Amino acid sequence: MTLDLTLDELLTTTRTVRKRLDLTRPVPMELIKECLEIALQAPSGSNRQGWQWIVVTDPDVRAAIGAIYGDVAARYLTSKHGAGALFADDPARSSIQKRVGTSAEWLGEHMGDVPVLLIPCIEAGETLPAGNQAGLWGSLLPAVWSYALAARARGLGTAWTTLHLQREAEVADILGIPATFHQGALIPTAYFTGETFKVAPRDPIETVLHVDRW
Ligand SMILES: Cc1cc2nc3c(=O)[nH]c(=O)nc-3n(C[C@H](O)[C@H](O)[C@H](O)COP(=O)(O)O)c2cc1C
């Protein structure tokens, strides 16, 4: 069963969900598998499909990962580079950033309570390649975004997060991830509360579009 959304609505309203993640409602594993089946249709370089997906539901394991995430998030969000402190000299952007900061703080405190934590991984040898890594991450992250879209279509909220990667090795230890696999994100997933989501304000296309040359 999917929500009654047009494709453009799906693409423009798949927001980062934090405070509206329902921490009390269990998420069936079948629903997560359905979203992952869709994710596996994404492209990967040479069709290698070098991805592996860890779905964490065990409360103790979630709590251990949540503690690491929360610790990194608290340090980051209280620093001068934290999301809430960005664009301080632009009143319109600054007020949005402050909201992002508060919302991110909330997630930092609750990551371990979210019913499902998804950790997508990619095989790349023990050491990540030097130079441009677009080919590597481009072979994982489109699938992760497909997962988020499929989840949204099924009434599940997700938040793309990466802060825990500062302590990636500790999370790898907890989950038994082999040394040749690298984590791409940590995606808390839960049913969302409330009705729907809005299209987000973004910088106008004129400020980012180049036709024929920079
Ligand atoms: C690569 C990447 C890393 C992110 N890392 C985090 C994170 O660690 N914690 C968090 O709360 N949000 C994280 N976000 C979410 C962004 O803050 C969010 O996408 C942005 O504020 C725009 O909001 P929207 O996705 O609802 O449009 C990340 C997003 C991306 C794309």
Side-chain angles (χ1 to χ4, degrees):
M1 260 290 275
T2 53
L3 304 180
D4 187 18
L5 292 169
T6 66
L7 292 177
D8 283 356
E9 277 168 347
L10 179 69
L11 290 168
T12 56
T13 65
T14 300
R15 296 268 76 77
T16 299
V17 186
R18 302 186 186 92
K19 290 181 178 177
R20 285 177 57 190
L21 293 169
D22 188 339
L23 304 181
T24 60
R25 186 170 167 198
V27 178
M29 182 60 89
E30 275 314 305
L31 201 53
I32 299 295
K33 274 169 96 173
E34 220 175 279
C35 299
L36 287 173
E37 292 279 5
I38 288 171
L40 299 188
Q41 292 296 317
S44 61
S46 307
N47 193 28
R48 206 178 292 272
Q49 302 170 60
W51 47 48
Q52 295 287 327
W53 305 81
I54 308 179
V55 178
V56 183
T57 58
D58 181 294
D60 294 339
V61 183
R62 283 189 283 127
I65 295 170
I68 291 173
Y69 180 88
D71 192 49
V72 178
R75 280 168 214 271
Y76 164 71
L77 291 166
T78 51
S79 78
K80 63 177 192 292
H81 308 293
L86 297 180
F87 307 108
D89 51 0
D90 174 343
R93 276 198 86 165
S94 170
S95 74
I96 294 174
Q97 290 306 130
K98 288 204 170 90
R99 282 205 301 278
V100 173
T102 316
S103 162
E105 264 171 44
W106 184 92
L107 184 59
E109 286 156 16
H110 294 280
M111 181 65 90
D113 305 324
V114 183
V116 174
L117 302 180
L118 174 73
I119 301 199
C121 302
I122 185 125
E123 187 165 29
E126 286 205 17
T127 312
L128 286 169
N132 194 313
Q133 297 183 350
L136 175 71
W137 296 113
S139 296
L140 177 66
L141 304 184
V144 179
W145 187 240
S146 290
Y147 167 85
L149 293 170
R152 159 90 175 99
R154 285 161 179 75
L156 297 173
T158 59
W160 195 293
T161 81
T162 51
L163 281 172
H164 86 284
L165 295 176
Q166 289 179 32
R167 289 168 60 183
E168 180 180 3
E170 286 170 66
V171 173
D173 252 10
I174 293 171
L175 298 172
I177 299 173
T180 50
F181 280 83
H182 302 268
Q183 299 164 52
L186 164 61
I187 314 283
T189 307
Y191 282 102
F192 59 77
T193 59
E195 286 304 306
T196 190
F197 296 93
K198 292 192 193 132
V199 174
R202 293 288 198 242
D203 288 343
I205 191 157
E206 298 73 36
T207 65
V208 294
L209 172 67
H210 307 263
V211 179
D212 293 336
R213 59 175 285 126
W214 187 273

